[in-house]
Amino acid sequence: MGQCPWCGSPQANQRTNCLNCGGPLIPIHEVGGRETPVPPPAPRPISERYKWRYIASDIGTITGLFVSFVGAIFFFMGLAFLVGRETRLLGVAFVPIGALMVLAFVAAGIRGYRKAVRFVRVLRIGLPTEGRLTSLREQHNVEINGRHPWILHYGYTVADIDYQGEVRTLDDPRDEYQVGQPLCVLYDPDLPSESALYPHP
Ligand SMILES: [Zn+2]
């Protein structure tokens, strides 16, 4: 079992494409005993489905869904309250609050969708450049399947402009990553602020 270099999910070695994101699973080249990441040339066959999986794993979008669900309950309770003479004032408060919560989700959903589209685009057509790991931090306040996610921050430069990127992973990255080490960064040539690490930590 190895890891998909595009999305980080575990993959059987004999596959040619990742089941999760559709990315090509080519062996990472061994040079001088050290693994050097060499992404295959663009465009890469990242699946359209991965966009939705990426959205589903986005904690902000999940939170937005929950808020929208509660908001919808508020909204319909408010409508019911408006009918009753004694509860009308409650209805007047609940309806707009519920509507605002639903609207907040729609906004979060559009933001999450655009983020996923930009990310999939980087995996498909991103150009490689050398970046550097700037920090490595465990998120103690977040727990997923009994583990704390890690955030890796990195910097890279395109046309003399410095950019920052970050990536989350559930695997403890400390064995393989040290602050200051060079990394392969893929960036969108039309929007260099959008980037991903190759391989995915
Ligand atoms: Zn994958």
Side-chain angles (χ1 to χ4, degrees), residues 182-201:
L183 301 163
C184 175
V185 175
L186 290 172
Y187 68 92
D188 184 332
D190 298 324
L191 194 63
S193 57
E194 298 299 321
S195 66
L197 283 187
Y198 181 89
H200 191 290

Side-chain angles (χ1 to χ4, degrees), residues 3-9 11 17-23 25 46 50 123:
Q3 248 195 1
C4 170
W6 307 101
C7 69
S9 74
Q11 295 294 323
N17 287 81
C18 171
L19 281 174
N20 188 48
C21 73
L25 299 176
I46 306 297
Y50 181 54
L123 298 188

